[in-house]
C-alpha cells in the first residue's frame, strides 16, 4: 500500500489544485505525497537487503544533520542582519528565535540520550515531536507558496487590487509598497493588452501615525508614475489584509457583481493573502512582487505563524496529542 500512496496523494493534490489552488490543505497533501514517496523508496531499498539501502538511510541522516546546521546558521545570520537593518521589534526577531529554538531542541535531545532520566526523555520526545510537526508544516508552506507564486493567472480580470503595507513618515510610499504598485501596473498592462479595461484598486486605510490613507498615497504614486488617474479606485477604510479584501470586494461587487480580479502583494505574503481571499470569497487569484532577499526569511516565518493562528484549533489539538505522546513515553520508561 505504501508504494501506491504517493500516486494516490498526487492525484488528490492535482484535483484539489484544479478545483481551488488557494487551500493550505494542498500544501499538506503535497508534503505527504513527497514524504510517502521517500518512505516507499527507503522501504523498497531495505526490503531488497542490499547495501544500498543502508547507505541511503545513512546518507539521509547525514544530509538532514547538515541541513539543520546550515539552516540554524542561516537563520542566526539573517536574524542579526534584520536587527541591524530593521530594528528590534518583536516581528524582526523571528529568524533569531527560530535559530535558538532549533539549538534548544537539539540540545534537549542530546541531553535526553546522555542522561536518560524518564522526565527528560518524555520532555525530549514531546519537543522532538513538536519540532517535526512544525518543520513539516513549514516545509509544506514554503514549497507550496513557491509553487503557488509560479502558477499563472490566465483568465481576464475586471479589477487589479493592490494591498497596502504602511507609509514612511506618514505620507511616503516605501520601497516594499512601491514594488507592489509596480507589479500592479504590470498586471494591469497585461490585462489591458488582452482587450480589457480593468480598474486598479489601491487598498489601505489611514493608520494612527499616517497623514493620509495609504490608498491615497498609493494612488498619488501611481499617477506620478504615469498611470491614468481615471482607472484608479481608492479603498481607504481597511487596516488589515482581511479588511483590504472585504472592503475591496464590496467595491467590486457594486460595480460588477460577476467580477474577476487579481490581487497584488509581495511574494512572501501572496499565499497567505490567497488563503484569506478564499475565506472571504474573493473571485480571483493573488500574485506577488519581489522582496529584498534579507527581508524574505523573517517575513516568511511571520506569514507561517499567521497561518498557524488561522488554523489554531487543528494545531492545538494535534500539539496536545504530540504532548500526550511525550507523556506516554515518560510513563513507559519510568
Amino acid at each position: 500500500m505504501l508504494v501506491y500512496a504517493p500516486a494516490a496523494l498526487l492525484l488528490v493534490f492535482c484535483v484539489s489544485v484544479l478545483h481551488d489552488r488557494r487551500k493550505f490543505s494542498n500544501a499538506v497533501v503535497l508534503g505527504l505525497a513527497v514524504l510517502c514517496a521517500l518512505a516507499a523508496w527507503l522501504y523498497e531499498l531495505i526490503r531488497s537487503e542490499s547495501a544500498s539501502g543502508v547507505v541511503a538511510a545513512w546518507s539521509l541522516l547525514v544530509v538532514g544533520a547538515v541541513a539543520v546546521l546550515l539552516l540554524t546558521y542561516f537563520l542566526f545570520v539573517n536574524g542579526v542582519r534584520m536587527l541591524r537593518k530593521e530594528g528590534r521589534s518583536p516581528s524582526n526577531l523571528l529568524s533569531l528565535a527560530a535559530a535558538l529554538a532549533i539549538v534548544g531542541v537539539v540540545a534537549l535531545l542530546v541531553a535526553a540520550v546522555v542522561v536518560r532520566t524518564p522526565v527528560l526523555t518524555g520532555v525530549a520526545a514531546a519537543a522532538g515531536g513538536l519540532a517535526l510537526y512544525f518543520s513539516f508544516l513549514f516545509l509544506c508552506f514554503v514549497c507550496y507558496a513557491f509553487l503557488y507564486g509560479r502558477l499563472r493567472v490566465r483568465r481576464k480580470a475586471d479589477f487589479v487590487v493592490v494591498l497596502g503595507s504602511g507609509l514612511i513618515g506618514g505620507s511616503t510610499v516605501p520601497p516594499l509598497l512601491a514594488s507592489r504598485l509596480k507589479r500592479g501596473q504590470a498586471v494591469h498592462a497585461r490585462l489591458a493588452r488582452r482587450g480589457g479595461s480593468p480598474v486598479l484598486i489601491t487598498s489601505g486605510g489611514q493608520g494612527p501615525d499616517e497623514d493620509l490613507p495609504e490608498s491615497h498615497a498609493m494612488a498619488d504614486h501611481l499617477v506620478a508614475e504615469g498611470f491614468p488617474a481615471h482607472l484608479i479606485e481608492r479603498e481607504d477604510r481597511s487596516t488589515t489584509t482581511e479588511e483590504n479584501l472585504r472592503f475591496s470586494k464590496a467595491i467590486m461587487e457594486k460595480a460588477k457583481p460577476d467580477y474577476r480580479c487579481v490581487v497584488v502583494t509581495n511574494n512572501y505574503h501572496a499565499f497567505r493573502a490567497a488563503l484569506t481571499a478564499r475565506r472571504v470569497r474573493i473571485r480571483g487569484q493573488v500574485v506577488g512582487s519581489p522582496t529584498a532577499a534579507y527581508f524574505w526569511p523573517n517575513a516568511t516565518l511571520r506569514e507561517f505563524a499567521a497561518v498557524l493562528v488561522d488554523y489554531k484549533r487543528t494545531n492545538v489539538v494535534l500539539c496536545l496529542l504530540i504532548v500526550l505522546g511525550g507523556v506516554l513515553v515518560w510513563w513507559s520508561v519510568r
Side-chain angles (χ1 to χ4, degrees):
M1 288 296 294
L2 186 61
V3 177
Y4 300 106
L9 287 168
L10 280 177
L11 178 61
V12 172
F13 169 76
C14 292
V15 172
S16 183
V17 169
L18 288 173
H19 179 259
D20 193 341
R21 66 181 76 167
R22 305 170 302 169
K23 295 192 293 185
F24 189 71
S25 59
N26 294 339
V28 176
V29 172
L30 180 61
L32 289 174
V34 173
L35 195 63
C36 287
L38 182 61
W41 175 61
L42 284 175
Y43 174 75
E44 289 298 319
L45 284 177
I46 293 172
R47 194 176 67 168
S48 66
E49 298 182 355
S50 63
S52 58
V54 177
V55 172
W58 278 106
S59 297
L60 283 175
L61 286 175
V62 171
V63 169
V66 172
V68 170
L69 288 173
L70 290 176
L71 178 62
T72 304
Y73 172 77
F74 173 75
L75 288 172
F76 182 81
V77 172
N78 180 258
V80 172
R81 190 176 184 187
M82 280 294 297
L83 290 178
R84 289 175 178 173
K85 285 183 171 288
E86 302 291 334
R88 297 184 179 181
S89 67
S91 62
N92 293 334
L93 295 173
L94 289 176
S95 295
L96 195 58
L100 294 175
I102 293 173
V103 171
V105 171
V106 172
L108 184 59
L109 293 174
V110 172
V113 172
V114 173
V115 179
R116 295 185 179 180
T117 62
V119 172
L120 192 57
T121 300
V123 172
L130 290 172
L132 288 174
Y133 173 71
F134 288 117
S135 297
F136 171 74
L137 288 182
F138 181 70
L139 287 173
C140 291
F141 174 79
V142 170
C143 293
Y144 187 73
F146 177 84
L147 178 62
Y148 178 87
R150 277 145 188 82
L151 295 174
R152 296 187 65 84
V153 180
R154 299 186 179 277
R155 295 183 179 180
K156 292 183 179 180
D158 308 293
F159 297 92
V160 177
V161 182
V162 182
L163 305 183
S165 65
L167 303 175
I168 294 177
S171 59
T172 304
V173 171
L176 193 75
L177 185 51
S179 174
R180 297 185 185 186
L181 292 168
K182 184 176 180 180
R183 183 66 194 275
Q185 285 182 274
V187 171
H188 187 279
R190 188 179 74 244
L191 293 170
R193 286 195 297 268
R194 295 178 181 175
S197 182
V199 172
L200 193 150
I201 299 177
T202 55
S203 180
Q206 184 172 351
D209 58 344
E210 294 175 337
D211 301 328
L212 73 167
E214 292 173 20
S215 58
H216 292 213
M218 293 161 69
D220 293 341
H221 179 88
L222 286 170
V223 172
E225 292 291 319
F227 192 85
H230 69 279
L231 293 179
I232 300 175
E233 183 79 30
R234 296 169 176 81
E235 181 286 299
D236 57 8
R237 296 185 296 152
S238 57
T239 57
T240 65
T241 297
E242 183 166 336
E243 288 183 354
N244 285 146
L245 295 170
R246 287 190 183 278
F247 296 154
S248 297
K249 177 187 175 184
I251 292 173
M252 292 185 288
E253 286 184 333
K254 183 177 180 180
K256 188 175 182 180
D258 60 343
Y259 74 92
R260 299 292 304 184
C261 73
V262 178
V263 179
V264 180
T265 184
N266 284 90
N267 50 13
Y268 69 84
H269 184 238
F271 183 40
R272 186 166 74 89
L275 297 177
T276 306
R278 180 175 182 268
R279 187 167 63 248
V280 302
R281 299 183 179 180
I282 290 282
R283 287 195 291 275
Q285 299 296 335
V286 183
V287 299
S289 64
T291 306
Y294 80 89
F295 191 81
W296 187 87
N298 197 82
T300 301
L301 286 170
R302 187 173 66 233
E303 294 300 301
F304 175 65
V307 170
L308 291 179
V309 172
D310 288 340
Y311 296 90
K312 55 181 176 294
R313 290 183 180 177
T314 301
N315 287 312
V316 166
V317 170
L318 291 175
C319 287
L320 288 175
L321 290 175
I322 293 171
V323 171
L324 179 60
V327 174
L328 293 176
V329 170
W330 165 76
W331 181 266
S332 64
V333 299
R334 70 187 178 89

